[in-house]
Amino acid sequence: MKRRDFMKCAAGFSAGLGAGIAFSPLPWQLLDDISVWTQNWPWIPANPKGENTYELSTSKLCPSGCGLKVRLLNGRVLRVLPQAGHPLGGGISPLAAAEPQLLYSPSRLTTPLRRNSEGSHSPISWPEAKTLLLGKLEAAGEKLLCLCGDESGSGSAVLSAFLRARGSEKIFFMPSEAQCQSLAWQHARYADSSLPYSSQAGYDFEKADLVLAIGANIMEAWGTVMRNRRIVAEKGAEKGFPLYYAGPVQNQTAALAAGAGGGWLPIRAGSETSLALGLANVLARTHGKKLAHPAFAQIEHGLARFDPAHVSAVTGLGPRRLEEMCEKLAQAAAPLVVCGSEFGQGAGCGPALSGLLLNLLLRGPLTAVPLHTAALPGARGRADIYRGDIVRELTGWGGRPAADLAIFYEANPAYALPGAAALADKIRAIPFKLAFAPFMDETAALCDLVLPTPLGLEKLDDIESPLGCGKVFYALARPLAEAPGQCRHGADVILELAAALDMGLPANYEAVLRKKAQDMSLSWISLSRGQSFERPAPELEAADCDLSVFDKLLFRSLRAARGASSNGRRAGLAPLCRNALGTPQTGIPPFALKTLRAKELKGGEMYVFANSATARALGLYQDARVSVRAAGGNGNAVRNTGGNTGRAITARFNIFEGIADDCLGAYLGFGHSALDEYSRGKGANICELFSPEPEEGSGLMTWHKTEVTVEVVA
Amino acid sequence: MSMIALKEFKIRWGMAIDVDKCTGCGACMVACQAENNIAPVSDASDKRRALNWLVVYELSNGKAFPDHDLAYLPRPCQQCGTYPCASVCPVTATDKNEEGGIVSQIHPRCIGCRYCMAACPYHARYFNWQDPVWPRGLEKTITPDVSVRPRGVVEKCSFCHHRFMWAKDLARLENREPGRLREGDYLPACAESCPSGAIVFGDLHNPTHRVHQLAGSERAFRLLERLGTEPQVYYLSRRAWVRRQGDNYLPDEKKPLP
């Protein structure tokens, strides 16, 4: 071959090869494979494979009791989706949707832990824990105290039966709006009423054609939120729905009210009851909304001082807007008023009673929802347990604790009680403390024995008629995931201890729930497949109520109102709740952390907020670092809470115009000193600022009128 | 104006988000993260680095108390009809070529140049500055449906495209036409989870779908509509100030507002 031919062949071959490569899929496929390979490093998690199944349940974690459709992959819980057709559902709350990550959190407690002399906790076995506990129970005798964080389940009945068999009546729930509502209802229920003693007021949103929420953040954090939102969305699908919100902060309910065609009535923090009574006064005098009852004259006399001018001075709401609201309420066929605490606790009986009075005047769709108590010897019903007040109990102790052994059942009082640090000192002084907890929270960290418990998707438990529910509701939370390590349901552990002490209680918690379902004539098979039940509750009539309660309790509960303008650098604290900020026991779920906005949390600092007029009056400016200090209420603060008067938190300041004058807004749920990296060290715990005071009349401790001083710090 | 001509399809999946019904609870954001395997971060307050396919913005009418009003605006990818992101992508990692009109994002093709992020007027695209990290145990919440993205690639909302595939598969199994899905057969996780029913999803071309009717409502508007991106996400509000914030109107603008 000549050189020229060789060159021609080589050129032809090269050109052919080039063309072949260019038109062949091979290089492109290789390039694609390489690019895929470069993005599949071993440290990048791979997608799992497997079979999908779906199960129904009801959320035990979310206070709204929303319905769940749980997706499982190879039998493992993967996702939580909304359950269509669930009576308390309609969507899913951020908290319920974020629950799977909590199940697998590396911070979960997996073994019993005993506190050693250095203050740290070491693992022990269950038999050791049980032996230790039996010994401590024997030694404590009747000096037992139990604080329960689960209001909607039957765990409280088991605990109360256990305590009563040991000679103690000291069982309490964590302070909540449900307690305020329940106590108000118990005071108002006429002694000879045909309605059951153990019942609660229900709010029948389905029948309402206008809803006024005073204080209660019914679209975010008060009661059956998912149901409330579904109903308002359905009713207002075409032309909106007349939803009104009265409260210090333009919160989620106010946002929905503005969008739905209603509106926001800004009032000062803690003035909800005055506004409700002002409305009742105008409705009775101007619109003829009266009760045909001899006791009503006394009520009218009590209402007389709540004329528009007085109410305007107390609430900051103009008399014209008050009267406009009355006109709308009077014209509606079935108006419903929900009056409660903006942050779901600490408001006493006043708001609930004033809401009851308004609903009676307007003949609003209120119901009396009967509550069922698990049939255990000595068990106390939910309504009965609400009569105890843990804040009054702890603050009433002198130098020595009145209990030798305390059980904290899914409750985190060291974080969530008002004046938390001061009351934590009281808890710390109890000789032996036991916590049933899924995470090492602030209270568990103080306890001598910590027993790991399952979360809502890992245990069999029940949910009965949560706060605000207008009908009788019952469902089971199902154990769809395996609890990590040696977690055991707290109620089962208590029943095991009861068996060891020959108390005659059922052998396990499932037997308690089965008996309760049987007593309620519900199918256990349907319940255990995730079906929920709803039954109508009787409507509430004025004849069922003891109208003298309004004079005896309600009008007395109102002390001298706060002045119309801020006193020097004082402001009324307006706390807010957000579902996404989790619970005191779990902290903020990892997924929910990203829902926080730039002016709510920045690094480790949270924001507090006020409007520009208040900021000017207080000498504050945007992004200033401020110290917020409890001003100690109006002088009647309980002194022996350990001195929370003077306690301070540090935060950044944000100007937000959606808040009433003289108020400082702040979110609850921040400032954990325990739990995981998604909750710990983020912001400050505003529970520290609360100053509990006894409510006149009911005696219930309240802290919704906390005042603070604010100053810029370096 | 966008550099790409409007690309039409027989089916145009779209959303109508009723701003008046949104309470800003964040359920849609949580559902989106869980559905699409978006890793949690311990400092989510660093909004430049925290990665979300769907963000709920708080809107204010800018007035002082007591005239203040607020609204919440969820912002997924707008799935623009004239998609400015795809025209700048040098490797065709993002495109709009499938029936349904969803702007795709092919993560293995992405070279991380971030031109698309600069081009997107809605800030709907996010860059993985770090590898995703799931704390030990939390990787059990990773779903089989959406691949986990490494550092160095851009990602965005896909209208939960895998659910579109499921809906078509189900239609085939039930001997139905996969190209004619019924309303509700295919729902992104955000629309499914919203407790207020604020997010309505469906085919914008199908007159029987609610989203079609809502898109034609006098309350409807789209974000930055005057850029001509033809988004497939519509917003609804009765409030003029909310509609006005949907675009950059001059204070004394004479042109009628949407």
Side-chain angles (χ1 to χ4, degrees):
Chain A
M1 185 182 280
K2 292 180 182 172
R3 182 176 176 276
R4 180 171 292 273
D5 293 338
F6 174 77
M7 293 303 288
K8 279 180 183 174
C9 282
F13 181 75
S14 301
L17 185 67
I21 288 172
F23 289 104
S24 155
L26 184 69
W28 310 111
Q29 187 62 48
L30 283 173
L31 204 60
D32 195 44
D33 287 349
I34 290 167
S35 72
V36 170
W37 174 74
T38 60
Q39 296 187 12
N40 279 286
W41 302 110
W43 58 86
I44 304 294
N47 293 93
K49 290 177 181 164
E51 187 191 358
N52 285 301
T53 49
Y54 294 86
E55 298 286 348
L56 303 182
S57 190
T58 297
S59 180
K60 193 72 187 159
L61 178 69
C62 178
S64 74
C66 56
L68 312 177
K69 183 175 149 191
V70 183
R71 179 181 172 192
L72 300 104
L73 184 78
N74 297 330
R76 201 186 70 222
V77 169
L78 188 71
R79 281 272 281 126
V80 170
L81 306 164
Q83 185 191 133
H86 191 276
L88 303 184
I92 195 154
S93 66
L95 181 55
E99 189 170 352
Q101 279 195 328
L102 293 173
L103 300 179
Y104 307 119
S105 166
S107 308
R108 287 290 301 274
L109 295 176
T110 54
T111 58
L113 298 170
R114 176 154 194 207
R115 192 178 161 90
N116 55 35
S117 53
E118 288 88 41
S120 59
H121 288 84
S122 315
I124 59 169
S125 68
W126 270 104
E128 286 173 324
K130 204 168 141 185
T131 307
L132 171 70
L133 202 45
L134 284 169
K136 294 290 179 185
L137 281 166
E138 284 296 332
E142 61 187 35
K143 292 187 78 176
L144 296 178
L145 176 143
C146 179
L147 181 56
C148 180
D150 174 18
E151 292 175 292
S152 63
S154 297
S156 58
V158 171
L159 289 162
S160 64
F162 181 84
L163 256 69
R164 186 166 270 176
R166 299 295 299 167
S168 170
E169 296 289 320
K170 288 192 173 178
I171 178 167
F172 305 92
F173 282 125
M174 284 293 285
S176 69
E177 181 67 12
Q179 180 182 32
C180 301
Q181 294 276 329
S182 177
L183 276 180
W185 170 231
Q186 287 176 53
H187 285 302
R189 180 187 157 278
Y190 193 54
D192 296 331
S193 166
S194 58
L195 298 172
Y197 166 73
S198 188
S199 56
Q200 67 183 22
Y203 294 85
D204 202 344
F205 279 73
E206 286 89 344
K207 288 186 182 162
D209 65 347
L210 181 150
V211 173
L212 167 63
I214 305 176
N217 192 358
I218 55 173
M219 297 298 161
E220 177 67 19
W222 194 100
T224 51
V225 172
M226 298 299 113
R227 173 194 73 131
N228 303 349
R229 286 175 64 177
R230 170 173 52 82
I231 292 169
V232 168
E234 286 170 359
K235 289 192 170 200
E238 300 301 324
K239 295 180 180 173
F241 180 81
L243 169 69
Y244 296 86
Y245 177 72
V249 182
Q250 205 165 24
N251 58 17
Q252 297 82 359
T253 306
L256 197 61
W264 173 44
L265 285 74
I267 57 172
R268 291 199 184 93
S271 66
E272 295 86 1
T273 308
S274 296
L275 175 70
L277 294 179
L279 292 168
N281 180 30
V282 175
L283 284 166
R285 288 179 190 277
T286 312
H287 299 277
K289 299 286 181 186
K290 300 186 180 192
L291 297 173
H293 193 282
F296 188 67
Q298 210 170 15
I299 294 174
E300 266 195 305
H301 178 72
L303 287 175
R305 76 180 165 105
F306 294 94
D307 59 81
H310 171 75
V311 172
S312 179
V314 175
T315 64
L317 186 74
R320 183 70 206 126
R321 291 206 69 186
L322 181 86
E323 283 159 9
E324 281 171 2
M325 192 66 242
C326 285
E327 279 169 30
K328 290 185 179 102
L329 285 167
Q331 284 165 11
L336 179 66
V337 180
V338 187
C339 191
S341 161
E342 169 129 6
F343 57 111
Q345 54 176 269
C349 293
L353 279 174
S354 58
L356 177 65
L357 176 59
L358 265 174
N359 280 309
L360 290 177
L361 294 179
L362 293 162
R363 286 155 187 78
L366 270 193
T367 56
V369 179
L371 299 170
H372 298 80
T373 304
L376 292 165
R380 293 168 63 189
R382 197 200 299 181
D384 194 25
I385 296 173
Y386 279 135
R387 295 165 76 89
D389 182 349
I390 184 64
V391 181
R392 192 175 56 208
E393 171 72 20
L394 291 178
T395 53
W397 290 355
R400 288 192 61 228
D404 285 346
L405 192 152
I407 302 170
F408 300 107
Y409 181 88
E410 298 177 8
N412 187 4
Y415 170 81
L417 284 182
L423 293 185
D425 289 341
K426 301 267 184 183
I427 292 168
R428 200 174 280 114
I430 300 170
F432 189 82
K433 302 164 287 291
L434 161 68
F436 289 100
F439 295 96
M440 183 58 86
D441 59 31
E442 286 82 351
T443 302
L446 294 180
C447 285
D448 302 283
L449 183 61
V450 183
L451 300 178
T453 53
L455 283 166
L457 288 168
E458 297 165 338
K459 64 181 176 183
L460 180 69
D461 214 322
D462 62 339
I463 299 108
E464 184 193 351
S465 303
L467 166 71
C469 189
K471 294 175 180 156
V472 177
F473 173 85
Y474 194 74
L476 290 183
R478 301 169 61 200
L480 299 171
E482 195 176 329
Q486 301 168 32
C487 285
R488 298 199 50 206
H489 197 309
D492 276 328
V493 176
I494 293 290
L495 289 171
E496 263 184 36
L497 292 171
L501 295 165
D502 283 332
M503 287 183 180
L505 296 179
N508 58 53
Y509 192 44
E510 183 175 335
V512 173
L513 299 181
R514 278 178 181 268
K515 181 71 172 63
K516 186 172 179 179
Q518 191 184 352
D519 293 346
M520 293 175 77
S521 307
L522 299 175
S523 159
W524 179 257
I525 294 171
S526 301
L527 281 167
S528 55
R529 285 180 184 156
Q531 189 179 337
S532 50
F533 289 89
E534 195 180 46
R535 288 177 181 162
E539 285 184 16
L540 187 61
E541 303 288 343
D544 297 315
C545 299
D546 176 5
L547 298 183
S548 67
V549 71
F550 299 111
D551 189 51
K552 279 190 246 169
L553 284 181
L554 180 55
F555 301 130
R556 270 190 218 174
S557 72
L558 294 165
R559 281 188 293 273
R562 187 180 298 137
S565 60
S566 57
N567 177 8
R569 297 203 160 187
R570 277 192 177 200
L573 186 63
L576 285 105
C577 285
R578 268 186 71 175
N579 183 284
L581 285 171
T583 69
Q585 299 84 53
T586 60
I588 307 170
F591 275 146
L593 203 53
K594 287 185 187 173
T595 67
L596 297 173
R597 297 185 181 85
K599 293 299 177 192
E600 291 172 352
L601 183 72
K602 185 71 184 168
E605 288 185 303
M606 64 184 255
Y607 277 83
V608 295
F609 53 91
N611 68 32
S612 52
T614 308
R616 273 194 297 276
L618 297 174
L620 308 176
Y621 52 88
Q622 181 64 41
D623 293 316
R625 181 172 285 125
V626 295
S627 169
V628 184
R629 192 174 291 276
N634 60 6
N636 295 331
V638 174
R639 296 299 171 204
N640 57 358
T641 54
N644 63 339
T645 298
R647 291 195 64 84
I649 62 162
T650 307
R652 290 277 179 180
F653 177 73
N654 180 39
I655 293 176
F656 173 62
E657 297 292 353
I659 180 168
D661 285 336
D662 311 325
C663 294
L664 187 82
Y667 276 100
L668 282 167
F670 290 122
H672 280 282
S673 58
L675 299 170
D676 61 12
E677 59 181 321
Y678 300 96
S679 301
R680 193 176 49 242
K682 295 193 184 300
N685 181 10
I686 61 166
C687 293
E688 299 288 355
L689 302 173
F690 295 142
S691 310
E693 304 170 1
E695 183 181 45
E696 283 184 37
S698 74
L700 193 62
M701 299 298 275
T702 65
W703 49 95
H704 69 312
K705 292 183 180 175
T706 296
E707 290 198 330
V708 291
T709 58
V710 196
E711 57 185 24
V712 176
V713 294
Chain B
M1 291 294 289
S2 178
M3 293 165 66
I4 290 184
L6 177 66
K7 198 162 186 175
E8 269 301 355
F9 299 89
K10 285 181 197 163
I11 299 170
R12 268 179 92 211
W13 295 116
M15 273 182 193
I17 302 177
D18 195 332
V19 178
D20 293 344
K21 284 184 180 171
C22 180
T23 66
C25 72
C28 53
M29 285 178 71
V30 172
C32 175
Q33 292 172 69
E35 183 80 14
N36 293 296
N37 296 331
I38 297 172
V41 288
S42 58
D43 183 13
S45 69
D46 185 352
K47 300 299 178 191
R48 292 170 305 168
R49 298 291 171 97
L51 199 153
N52 283 304
W53 289 7
L54 173 70
V55 175
V56 180
Y57 291 103
E58 186 178 286
L59 308 183
S60 164
N61 69 349
K63 294 184 178 174
F65 176 82
D67 300 318
H68 185 259
D69 195 7
L70 86 168
Y72 296 97
L73 185 135
R75 196 246 42 225
C77 170
Q78 305 290 300
Q79 315 293 351
C80 303
T82 58
Y83 35 101
C85 51
S87 66
V88 296
C89 180
V91 291
T92 326
T94 184
D95 204 353
K96 187 178 177 109
N97 54 10
E98 187 190 11
E99 190 58 64
I102 297 171
V103 177
S104 62
Q105 180 71 21
I106 303 157
H107 306 115
R109 274 194 205 161
C110 178
I111 56 171
C113 68
R114 291 173 279 143
Y115 288 180
C116 56
M117 290 175 68
C120 175
Y122 302 104
H123 298 263
R125 292 177 159 271
Y126 292 87
F127 184 64
N128 283 278
W129 289 99
Q130 285 108 17
D131 277 324
V133 177
W134 271 265
R136 184 172 49 82
L138 293 197
E139 77 284 352
K140 289 179 184 164
T141 58
I142 293 175
T143 69
D145 316 319
V146 184
S147 61
V148 180
R149 288 76 57 190
R151 70 172 172 227
V153 301
V154 171
E155 57 188 71
K156 69 156 196 93
C157 157
S158 64
F159 271 2
C160 292
H161 185 269
H162 55 283
R163 289 182 171 220
F164 182 29
M165 309 300 276
W166 292 349
K168 288 198 286 191
D169 287 348
L170 187 64
R172 287 188 194 99
L173 276 172
E174 294 174 351
N175 288 322
R176 289 185 286 114
E177 171 57 49
R180 297 174 63 85
L181 294 178
R182 298 166 303 196
E183 185 167 28
D185 281 351
Y186 161 39
L187 278 182
C190 55
E192 179 191 56
S193 64
C194 179
S196 298
I199 305 177
V200 177
F201 186 81
D203 178 9
L204 289 163
H205 283 332
N206 190 330
T208 64
H209 284 201
R210 270 184 70 211
V211 71
H212 172 87
Q213 295 144 25
L214 292 171
S217 159
E218 60 183 14
R219 298 191 292 134
F221 65 100
R222 291 186 286 185
L223 296 183
L224 303 177
E225 196 155 9
R226 297 194 292 191
L227 289 178
T229 51
E230 297 292 334
Q232 286 170 209
V233 178
Y234 287 77
Y235 291 90
L236 301 156
S237 180
R238 290 183 184 84
R239 291 171 279 183
W241 71 264
V242 174
R243 296 198 299 274
R244 192 179 178 93
Q245 289 197 5
D247 213 330
N248 294 309
Y249 297 100
L250 296 170
D252 55 348
E253 185 150 332
K254 297 287 190 292
K255 191 177 172 184
L257 299 178

